[in-house]
Structure formats: C-alpha cells, structure tokens
Amino acid sequence: MTVPGLAEAADRFDRALAAVDTPAATAVIGELLDRGEDPVAVLVEVIAAAQRSVGLRWQRGEWPVAREHAATGVSAAAVEVVARHVRRLPVTRGRVVVACAEREWHALPAMLIGHALRANGWDVTLLGASTTTARLNRYLHDLGPDAAAVSCSVLGALPAGRRFIEAATAAGIPVLAGGSAFGPDPARALALGATAWAPGAYSAIDAVAKLPAVVPAASPLPAAPAAEQAELEQAHQRLVAGLRTTWTLAADVLVDAPVVVDSLQAVAKDVLNQVLHAVSAALLTGDPRPIPETAAWLADLLAARGAEVRLVAELGELLAAGLGDFPLARELVVAHWAGGLVGTER
Amino acid sequence: MQPGTDAPATTGPWTGLTERVTGELAGSLNLRRTALRLLDLLCPAFADWAVLALPELRSGRLVLHGGAELTATTPVTVRVDPDTGLGRVLSSGRTEVLHVAEEDGTALDAMIPHPRLREEAAELRPADIVGVALTARGTTIGVLVLVRGSNRGFPAEDVETAERLAARAALAIDSAQLYEDRTHVASVLQAGLRPPELPELPGARIAARIRSAAEHLDLSGDFYDVHGAGDDWLLVLGDVCGKGVEAAVLTGRTRQSIRTAAYFDRRPSQVLTALNTVLYEAESSRFVAVVCVRLRPIGDGSSAVASVAVAGHPPPVIIRAGGSIEQIEAVGTVAGVLPDLAYREVDVRLHLGDTMLLFTDGIYEARGADDFYGMGRLVELLPAYAGAGPEPVCEAVEQDVHEYLGGRPHDDMALFAVSWGR
C-alpha cells in the first residue's frame, strides 16, 4: 500500500539512516510533510519501516548495538520533525495518555503511535521510556484521559504492562495495548486485561476511536501462574547467575565466525534475561508462544554470530533443570522450548 | 454486566449497586472520570437518562456532566433560580421528585438548565424527574438529576436508593474535586520548574535526560539549561542539595540566577562566581553543584572550543569520534557556602563526531546490589557509542544505570550530551 512518492523517499531515508546522517534524514521527512503527505503514512511507511530494518541488521550481526542506537537516534530526530508538524494540527477529539511500561526502553514505537493519534485529532500526552506505574497513575488522575495506550516491545515489560492495565482500568479508563511483546494477535493483550489491541499505527487510530468510555477494573489473573511469575521475578538474578556459569557459551564453541560483532558474552547476558522474561510472559498470559519464539530468536542470533546452534538446546535443558522450584514454568519450558528449535533446523 | 444483576435479589432490585458505586468510584481521583463512571453505572439500568450538575468552585459556573452522550460536559453560565427545582436541591440539600405532565415542560425546565439537554430528556416522554443532592463532608457539592421514560416512574423506594447512591458518590466526587484543586495549584507552580525545551544549536546536536528520585512527581533537584544565540552557547547542568519539592524550588531559583548572570557575561567562570555570590547571600545553608560549558565554533566550524568550569560538580567526559574517552580535569568548590570564590576554566576542543557528556552524581552513585555504579562502568560503556550522537549516548547511560539499579530506589539523575557536527 506504499504511495509511489513515499517509496523513493523511504529509500533515501534508509540510506541516511545507514549513514547516520541526521540532517539528510530530517530533510527527507520535512520535504514529505511540506508537500502534504499524510503524517501517519510518513511515520509508518518511512520511519517505522526503516527502523525495522535497523533491528534486523543488529539481529543478523551486521551492526553492533551502538550503531543500532545511533541509527535509532536519527529516527528519533526524524520523528521529532513529524511531532512538530502534527502539534500544529487542531485537537478535535479527547485525550489519550501513551506510555512505555517499566523496563521498556524502546520509546520510538510509543512515540510513533502517539504522534499518529495526535495527527488524527487526539490530544496526546506522551510519557517516555520505562515509566513507573506510580508516574502513570499520577497522569491518569491529573488528566482524566479518555484512553491510555501502553507499549511493550520487549517481553520483560509485560508484567509492568499488566500493572499499567490495572492502574488505568481501576479508574475506569480503557487501555489499548501494542508492541511486539504482545505478539501477532490480541491473545496476550486481552489475557492481561487490556480493552483492545493494535499491531500498528493505523489500527491504533481505529481502535482508540472504538474504545468504550468506561471499562470495569481488570479481572485478577489466574492465581497459580501469577504467583509463580512473581516468585520467578524474585529469583531472576539468582537464576541468571546460575545459567551464566553452566551454559557453555564460550570461545571454544565458536566456529569460524565471519562476522562476530558484539561480544558473545555481552549477548549472553541479554539472552538469559530474555529467556526468563519469555517464561514470565508465558505464565502471565497463558500463551506459551513466547518460549519457542525466544528459542528460535536465539538460534538465529547465535547462527549470525557464528556460534553453534546446539547451544540453544543446551540452554533449554539447563533452564528446565534450574526451574525445579517453579513447576508451571518448568512444564512450559519442557513442552515448548524444543518447538522453537524444530522450526529453525530446516 | 448490568448493575444489580450480580447479587441475589433478596433485598430489593438494586442490591449491589450501592457497593459498586462506592467501590468503583474509589478507583479514580479525576473529577471527569469519576462523573463518567457514576453515569455509566446508573444508565441505562437505574435511570434512562442522567446528568450530574456540579458548580465549579473556581469559576462559579455550573457544569453538567452526561446526558444522552455520557462523555459530554456542558457548562452553564446562566444563573440557576434558587427557588425552583435544581436551585432548591442545591441550596437545601433535599431531594425533589417532579412529575412531568404531558403538555407542560415546567418540571424539566426547573431541573435541567440547558435547552439541548432538556430536549434529550423530553424525547424520553418522561414520567418523573428526580434531583438528588450530592452532599459530602457537610456541603452540598452538586445534584444528580435522574430521568425515567414513560410508564416507568420513580417509586418511593427507588428514590431512597437514589439518595443512598448519591451519598456514596458525593464522597468520591468531593475527593476528586479536592484533588483537582490541589493539582491545579501544583501544576501552575510546577510549570516554571520543568526542564526546558532544548533549542537547536547550529553546528551541534544536544540531548538531555532527567529522572527524578520521586518519579511520580516529576520534580527534581537536578536540572539543565541552555542559553545563548548564534555561535556562542552556554550549557548548564546542576544538582541542588536535597530532593523533591524543596530541591525543585531551589533549582528554579538557581536556573534563574544563572540565566541572569549569563546575560551579562557568558564566561563559565564568571557565571559561577555570580551564582556563588547570589546563593551565599540568599541561602544560609543551601548549596548547588554546577557544571558550565561555553561552546563556540572555531574557524570554518569543523571544530569547537568548549570552556568548562565546575562548582563542586563532576567534570564532563568526552567520547572522541574514534572511541577514546577523555575525562576533563576541572575542579571548583560548590556554590553557595563560601563568600568570594573564583572559578577556573579549562578549554578543550571538540572535533566532528566528538560527544561531551555532562552528568550528575546520581549517575555514578546509583546503588546496585552490592556497590555504586561508579565512574569505571560509565567509562567502560561509552566507547561503544563513539560517533553515535547525543540522544543514543544519554539513552544508553540512562538504561544501563537503570538495569544496574535493578529496581532499587535512586537519587535524581540528569544527563546532558552535546555532539559537535552531525
């Protein structure tokens, strides 16, 4: 559905991003807006599209994390150009508070949604990366918005996302959930008590317009898995420390690596956090998919960095063994971790 | 789920509704949301149509919440007749039940002081219209107006139920009004204490972050500011003693003093000397740590000179485009405790792609599981961000410190980064 003029601009923007050339990138966006392109289309089809390829370049090991961040900084400057533009448009609808849950440091997706809603006449208050529930609460009571939108792109932010949903719905405020951590369908968002789910900016605009004025407080989560998730969170550091000493992600398992960008040790820390967050997400939402998805993601990540994929299976076994005190979590890992491997050994 | 259907009907048709009003209205301290929640609980089960009439304390006008559109708010500026209908409920605190006669709209006129809302109610061909006082903590703060359509009047027991509901709702609405009044005062006072919007600097890019110890208050003892024009800019980052509201007020005064001093002389040493004198004379025991950087391009603009002076503040670090880290050796006494201090400036060059990072002690003194975050971790983290620009540098440090904290409480934290060139 890309508009012809936008495709060419998107190419130029992509090159500016790859070159970390902020003036060039913001110039492309300024030109598009000046010639009357829809700000939402600019956000989605130019900036978000380029940003997705930035993430892929990191995952494939082509870019170190700092370069990914540098490119993201250019995207943020480009988004700011759109923000200045949409701020001049009239407010014709109610108020929406858009926030990243705690542990969610990717502020860009929430900014995109916020500016897209602003472009559609909503009065938007954007709370930045990793917002505490106490801070969100204060804004909800001060502003009395018509809706709250919560963004979680990392699985580790989902428990805090649930606390956001509790805070908003306790005040009767409907919640729109979005971001890749919620997965490809509404299942996780609705399991956590969100009023609606949207996979992107266009659908977020539709969904916010259709939200009810008042919602009941979110129902409690199923008690047993929620209790186990809380305990898992308490034990997080201990479990990570245990896995770090037992998982043989070390130099001797590296095959001849063409591109080893970030050190595998650094990646390992992220991986172990991520894996435990996936287990937490599965417990909280009743959706086991985060577990095989994380195994598959890890297999890709290691393959791109020249490490042996058997390390994924090893981690699954260590994880299951380490989760002895967490029967539901252990069961999820045993049942679903290998599913992610089967998918990658084609 | 409809109100009243979730409880056994042994004690009347509206069992459970009073409890729901109490419970669910307690969830919000926002007046508009509280009104919305109440109307949503009442309509359409208990009443076919309802508005909440709430006189505003500040403006004296009456605001009608609800009607056919639950989310509507309708301000009414005409005076409400104190001798009939709505006015009488407001002044007496006593319920009025009016029967609406077919060809005669006087009951609606008396209770609904707005033509559009009156029309909405009239369309229901109502039998009865009831005005119930919302009385909380000894004062009648508003009126709940309820309408039931034809063939469905208000029997006496339902009027009693309405009074019970109104008593519960009034407490929640009064609390929300009190909170809103305080919030208004606080936000007006706070507006001058918020971090400033960053200007665009020719030849340089800047970014800043503040995270206050009391994150829910958005009030910090750390601050940053940018002054200047053309090719001469002053970048300021500082930290006043204490935290929370008291610190934020001192922050505001400090920022203002620096702004005034910089108007006369933009040399960092002179700005700090002036600040020290002003604070020493005005504040007996309060002190402020500040770092000032004056930034000016050299020659064709491919590099800049940064003149740095500090008052009891950690000096900035430079992340060179090539990845090396330089710590600037600048020292100076905190401002505000000793008279007649002089400050020394250190000049450093910034070349294309270099980033200078200013940070407050909340960063390296962030307490993790067993130790401080420390300068060592900061210096180790930064080389990877060489050439990345100011925004990614601030973001990376903020995130890394937060992960290190692992959910523990932290002090105010502020970061300011400037990158020369793009």
Side-chain angles (χ1 to χ4, degrees), chain A:
Chain A
M1 64 181 292
T2 305
V3 183
L6 279 185
E8 181 267 337
D11 281 347
R12 277 202 292 146
F13 185 78
D14 210 37
R15 285 196 297 276
L17 214 58
V20 193
D21 187 343
T22 309
T26 52
V28 172
I29 302 303
E31 282 166 30
L32 289 173
L33 295 170
D34 285 346
R35 73 172 199 225
E37 292 289 351
D38 173 24
V40 182
V42 173
L43 287 169
V44 172
E45 285 159 43
V46 180
I47 302 175
Q51 193 56 33
R52 257 196 307 282
S53 63
V54 168
L56 282 176
R57 281 165 177 153
W58 173 78
Q59 196 181 337
R60 286 198 298 257
E62 295 167 22
W63 280 13
V65 68
R67 177 120 182 242
E68 184 207 1
H69 282 158
T72 306
V74 178
S75 283
V79 169
E80 192 47 46
V81 175
V82 182
R84 279 198 293 272
H85 177 84
V86 298
R87 253 180 239 135
R88 294 197 298 264
L89 302 173
V91 169
T92 54
R93 299 168 192 247
R95 195 193 283 270
V96 184
V97 170
V98 180
C100 297
E102 234 170 316
R103 282 211 195 120
E104 180 55 71
W105 291 94
H106 300 86
L108 206 62
M111 284 164 71
L112 286 171
I113 298 300
H115 298 320
L117 290 172
R118 181 65 190 81
N120 268 263
W122 291 93
D123 187 358
V124 173
T125 301
L126 263 172
L127 305 180
S130 194
T131 290
T132 63
T133 309
R135 182 159 181 264
L136 174 79
N137 248 316
R138 214 212 66 202
Y139 277 86
L140 294 180
H141 295 298
D142 284 1
L143 301 175
D146 296 277
V150 58
S151 168
C152 296
S153 64
V154 295
L155 291 168
L158 285 179
R162 162 67 189 184
R163 290 194 288 277
F164 264 38
I165 290 166
E166 287 176 20
T169 58
I173 299 167
V175 185
L176 176 71
S180 44
F182 286 104
D185 56 48
R188 278 174 228 169
L190 298 182
L192 291 178
T195 318
W197 165 83
Y202 290 114
S203 54
I205 290 168
D206 285 347
V208 168
K210 288 187 195 132
L211 288 172
V214 179
V215 296
S219 312
L221 296 176
E228 201 172 297
Q229 190 274 327
E231 283 170 39
L232 197 60
E233 198 149 324
Q234 292 282 315
H236 185 93
Q237 292 307 332
R238 178 169 60 78
L239 291 168
V240 168
L243 291 169
R244 282 196 93 159
T245 56
T246 48
W247 190 32
T248 51
L249 181 63
D252 61 314
V253 297
L254 276 177
V255 293
D256 188 19
V259 221
V260 178
V261 184
D262 284 4
S263 87
L264 274 170
Q265 278 304 321
V267 172
K269 184 181 133 199
D270 288 348
V271 165
L272 296 179
N273 282 324
Q274 177 79 2
V275 164
L276 285 170
H277 289 154
V279 176
S280 266
L283 279 172
L284 274 192
T285 62
D287 176 2
R289 284 175 295 175
I291 294 172
E293 281 163 14
T294 301
W297 165 84
L298 175 57
D300 284 349
L301 192 73
L302 293 179
R305 283 160 177 75
E308 289 183 25
V309 175
R310 73 169 172 81
L311 284 170
V312 185
E314 188 200 66
L315 181 57
E317 284 159 26
L318 290 169
L319 193 60
L323 289 171
D325 296 338
F326 305 91
L328 298 174
R330 186 174 180 281
E331 207 172 293
L332 281 166
V333 171
V334 169
H336 298 285
W337 181 263
L341 295 186
V342 173
T344 56
E345 287 176 357
R346 280 178 296 247

